[in-house]
């Protein structure tokens, strides 16, 4: 009985749909792999018929060992003269003074209606919230309009 239960547990998770999707992904992987290889060869300037060897890659890129890089950095003196340090400090100060000023365009939204000067709602607000706000704003306008009319009528009576 226990053996039968284990067989059911392991065989239940594989549906036909998941098998089909796995198969189709494998096919896509092959197809996209060929396309990617062709694109890489085109970028590197390799013809389709040519077979590239690693020796030919030296024409495209320079290969350098870590040891040679370390040897080159040891040759450079680390001590700098006082004049060189002063020149570097002056260059840094000039660079700080020449910092580019960026005009930040801040959207100013009304706290009550949440609209900007063009009448648009913020980007982050959902459509449902926009609709809800627009209905509320419309009702508020109508209420204010009615109140103004009533105030005018009271003034005429007095």
């Amino acid at each position: 009985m226990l053996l039968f239960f284990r067989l059911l547990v392991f065989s239940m998770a594989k549906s036909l749909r998941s098998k089909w999707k796995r198969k189709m992904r494998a096919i896509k992987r092959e197809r996209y792999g060929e396309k990617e290889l062709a694109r890489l060869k085109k970028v590197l300037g390799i013809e389709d018929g040519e077979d590239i060897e690693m020796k030919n890659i030296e024409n495209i890129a320079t290969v350098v060992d870590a040891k040679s890089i370390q040897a080159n950095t040891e040759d450079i003196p680390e001590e700098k003269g006082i004049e060189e340090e002063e020149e570097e400090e002056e260059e840094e100060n000039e660079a700080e003074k020449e910092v580019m000023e960026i005009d930040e365009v801040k959207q100013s939204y009304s706290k009550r209606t949440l609209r900007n000067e063009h009448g648009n709602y913020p980007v982050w607000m959902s459509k449902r919230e926009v609709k809800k706000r627009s209905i509320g704003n419309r009702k508020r306008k109508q209420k204010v309009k009615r109140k103004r009319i009533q105030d005018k009528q009271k003034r005429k009576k007095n």
Side-chain angles (χ1 to χ4, degrees), residues 34-125:
E34 291 172 7
K35 287 182 181 179
E36 186 178 1
L37 183 62
R39 198 176 300 134
L40 277 172
K41 285 183 178 180
K42 183 180 176 186
V43 167
L44 293 174
I46 301 167
E47 300 291 324
D48 287 333
E50 288 183 24
D51 236 5
I52 187 164
E53 295 179 14
M54 292 306 287
K55 293 177 184 176
N56 294 343
I57 201 123
E58 291 177 2
N59 299 335
I60 300 169
T62 309
V63 181
V64 183
D65 292 343
K67 292 178 183 178
S68 61
I69 293 174
Q70 288 177 351
N72 289 341
T73 55
E74 290 174 2
D75 295 342
I76 300 171
E78 293 182 2
E79 297 179 3
K80 295 181 181 178
I82 297 171
E83 297 172 355
E84 293 177 31
E85 290 179 356
E86 290 176 354
E87 290 175 1
E88 286 183 1
E89 289 177 2
E90 290 175 3
E91 290 174 3
E92 289 175 3
N93 290 338
E94 291 176 4
E96 290 175 1
K97 291 177 185 176
E98 296 181 72
V99 174
M100 192 167 82
E101 294 180 15
I102 301 171
D103 295 333
E104 292 185 23
V105 180
K106 285 191 176 180
Q107 296 285 339
S108 58
Y109 292 100
S110 168
K111 290 181 182 177
R112 191 181 73 220
T113 62
L114 283 180
R115 288 190 191 173
N116 64 2
E117 64 270 6
H118 305 295
N120 300 328
Y121 288 97
V123 178
W124 49 263
M125 189 179 280

Side-chain angles (χ1 to χ4, degrees), residues 120-137:
N120 300 328
Y121 288 97
V123 178
W124 49 263
M125 189 179 280
S126 67
K127 300 266 185 199
R128 193 179 322 143
E129 184 70 19
V130 168
K131 187 175 180 181
K132 184 177 167 184
R133 292 273 180 169
S134 64
I135 290 170
N137 290 339

